[in-house]
Amino acid sequence: MCCKLLPVRELAKPAGAWCQHCEPGTGCRIYPERPQACRDFFCGWMLNGEVAAHWRPRESRMVLNFQATLKRTVVHVDPSRPDAWRKPPYHAELQVVATRMAEAGGYVLIACGVNHTIMLARQEFKLERMVPSDKIVISRRPGPAGPVYSIKLVPDEADMQAAADSAAQL
Ligand code: SF4
């Protein structure tokens, strides 16, 4: 599932589409020469023995990606099952994780193809036109009924430079 759900920048492979090098049911045809992004990625379900069996990507249609340095858990959802994360028991479990992460200054990011949603405690925020390289900046301030969040997307500087360079060449 990770070879379908995750984007791979080196291959210009978008999220939610099978990699051209993947042989479903068999594996990677270019495994010894696979890109660095593929070498660096480890499925959260396989990494963490405490994650319940029903999160196995083949059944859940989701791939977990724990990104501790970014204080977030990314849930990559199969676009052919876009509501997988909203179904029981997944949604309630994600709310528990999102609440715990929000208390520690983090969040849960639901990524389904080009659609992204942030879960912060029990609140959900849809992100418009987000690309994988965008940086997510979340600010919190106290409100009468709990924290009030505001979310901003900051484009990657390298991407902006590349876009400016290609525009200059036209
Ligand atoms: S290059 Fe191989 S490991 Fe990487 S996404 Fe494609 S099939 Fe998967």
Side-chain angles (χ1 to χ4, degrees):
M1 288 304 295
C2 56
C3 298
K4 178 183 181 187
L5 303 190
L6 274 73
V8 182
R9 199 170 180 161
E10 294 98 316
L11 300 173
K13 177 196 137 4
W18 281 110
C19 174
Q20 59 180 318
H21 302 299
C22 182
E23 187 68 47
T26 305
C28 177
R29 290 191 209 97
I30 60 162
Y31 193 76
E33 294 87 35
R34 68 197 185 286
Q36 193 60 43
C38 304
R39 295 171 190 273
D40 293 342
F41 177 75
F42 292 95
C43 168
W45 179 78
M46 293 180 77
L47 274 183
N48 188 337
E50 291 180 6
V51 178
H54 56 261
W55 280 96
R56 183 186 166 104
R58 196 178 296 172
E59 282 89 50
S60 68
R61 315 301 290 190
M62 290 178 271
V63 173
L64 298 173
N65 186 0
F66 302 122
Q67 299 180 339
T69 52
L70 294 174
K71 288 188 176 178
R72 70 184 188 183
T73 293
V74 184
V75 184
H76 298 274
V77 182
D78 188 346
S80 61
R81 305 270 183 87
D83 59 345
W85 65 285
R86 291 203 173 276
K87 293 192 168 167
Y90 302 107
H91 192 258
E93 292 180 8
L94 286 171
Q95 282 186 326
V96 172
V97 174
T99 300
R100 202 171 58 223
M101 295 196 75
E103 286 167 1
Y107 61 92
V108 171
L109 175 65
I110 309 293
C112 182
V114 296
N115 298 312
H116 296 84
T117 304
I118 283 186
M119 295 180 78
L120 278 161
R122 291 187 165 263
Q123 300 178 49
E124 293 174 10
F125 303 84
K126 276 200 161 189
L127 300 179
E128 303 293 339
R129 295 183 294 279
M130 180 186 164
V131 295
S133 57
D134 280 348
K135 193 175 162 200
I136 298 170
V137 179
I138 299 175
S139 52
R140 301 164 169 80
R141 61 182 166 82
V148 177
Y149 300 102
S150 71
I151 298 169
K152 196 164 74 170
L153 293 178
V154 180
D156 181 90
E157 281 181 19
D159 279 0
M160 290 176 73
Q161 189 57 51
D165 290 347
S166 70
Q169 288 166 11
L170 292 175

